[in-house]
Amino acid sequence: MVENKKGVNKDMGKVAIYPGSFDPITYGHIDIIERSLEIFDKVIIAIADNMEKQPLFSIEERLQMAKNIFKDSPNVIVDSFKGLLVDYVAKTNAKVILRGLRATSDFEYEFHMASMNRSLNTHLDTLFMMTSKDYFFVSSRTIKEVAKLGGGVEGLVPDLVVRRLKEKFKLPVTKKKQIGWDD
Ligand code: PNS
């Protein structure tokens, strides 16, 4: 957890919390994070430690991947949380929850979540950013499905994540079968 949240936040400027399962983190997530740094001074990637979801990667593995990917980005903090997101956000003093929207199909789920979070804490707002066109078909769920069946996910997730997926699914590390629009 982020220590000394009040003090940290005071020095941090405008902060957004970017919550999610990140199971695993994709270039779709990374695109949102990088673009959001044009608006916010700091972005906290808040990885949900939610047992109900039965993730492929443990919370430690998801934290390790995200920390590694953003190791050279001082304005990106990687953290985990348990329980209600609004309680976590309240501890950081951030006022904005950031979420990516890929398509209208995301909207209903996101609308419910944002409305519930707002009813739990009226001081919080959710800001949505449209995913870039190169990644709007990318989700952690489809990445896992494709990788499990031996399809290439290079270019859709960082190389580190490609390697971790191959290790998880016990696939040869040399396998390369790119998926793209022309396939
Ligand atoms: O990447 P995901 O799985 O779409 O992220 C969903 C997440 C983790 C942001 C959401 O499930 C969440 O905030 N979980 C914490 C529990 C909570 O606060 N639930 C109430 C919001 S409706």
Side-chain angles (χ1 to χ4, degrees), residues 19-22 48 53 81 83-86 99 109 113 116-117:
S21 303
F22 302 100
K53 287 216 170 174
F81 74 100
L84 282 177
L85 174 62
V86 290
R99 292 286 289 176
Y109 168 64
M113 201 156 62
M116 177 57 83
N117 285 334

Side-chain angles (χ1 to χ4, degrees), residues 56 142-151 153 165-166 169 171:
L56 175 67
T142 52
I143 289 289
K144 283 182 281 191
E145 187 175 325
V146 170
K148 188 176 182 178
L149 297 171
V153 292
L165 283 162
K166 285 179 176 172
F169 295 127
L171 292 165

Side-chain angles (χ1 to χ4, degrees), residues 14 32-41 43 129:
K14 273 185 276 170
I32 296 284
I33 294 161
E34 286 176 348
R35 285 164 48 217
S36 70
L37 286 170
E38 301 286 326
I39 305 168
F40 296 97
D41 299 306
V43 173
M129 287 182 77

Side-chain angles (χ1 to χ4, degrees), residues 27-182:
Y27 275 134
H29 297 125
I30 293 166
D31 166 61
I32 296 284
I33 294 161
E34 286 176 348
R35 285 164 48 217
S36 70
L37 286 170
E38 301 286 326
I39 305 168
F40 296 97
D41 299 306
K42 293 259 186 222
V43 173
I44 300 176
I45 302 175
I47 306 180
D49 186 2
N50 182 351
M51 298 306 284
E52 276 167 36
K53 287 216 170 174
Q54 296 189 319
L56 175 67
F57 292 100
S58 69
I59 188 65
E60 291 78 20
E61 289 169 327
R62 286 177 282 152
L63 278 166
Q64 187 270 338
M65 284 188 278
K67 281 184 179 167
N68 188 299
I69 289 159
F70 287 102
K71 62 180 185 300
D72 298 322
S73 306
N75 296 334
V76 178
I77 293 168
V78 180
D79 197 10
S80 63
F81 74 100
K82 283 184 187 213
L84 282 177
L85 174 62
V86 290
D87 291 341
Y88 173 79
V89 178
K91 287 184 211 149
T92 67
N93 283 358
K95 298 279 180 285
V96 173
I97 295 169
L98 177 67
R99 292 286 289 176
L101 270 185
R102 283 164 303 196
T104 49
S105 52
D106 281 347
F107 181 77
E108 199 170 346
Y109 168 64
E110 295 295 337
F111 177 74
H112 282 131
M113 201 156 62
S115 305
M116 177 57 83
N117 285 334
R118 181 121 178 113
S119 94
L120 290 167
N121 183 339
T122 50
H123 300 292
L124 281 184
D125 259 305
T126 302
L127 181 81
F128 294 103
M129 287 182 77
M130 296 303 296
T131 302
S132 296
K133 63 174 174 39
D134 291 345
Y135 304 117
F136 74 75
F137 61 98
V138 177
S139 71
S140 298
R141 188 179 60 79
T142 52
I143 289 289
K144 283 182 281 191
E145 187 175 325
V146 170
K148 188 176 182 178
L149 297 171
V153 292
E154 290 84 357
L156 304 178
V157 293
D159 290 347
L160 168 68
V161 178
V162 174
R163 286 202 303 278
R164 293 281 181 274
L165 283 162
K166 285 179 176 172
E167 285 161 16
K168 270 286 170 207
F169 295 127
K170 303 196 175 10
L171 292 165
V173 178
T174 49
K175 184 149 191 154
K176 194 171 182 186
K177 212 195 297 167
Q178 191 86 30
I179 54 170
W181 289 110
D182 301 329

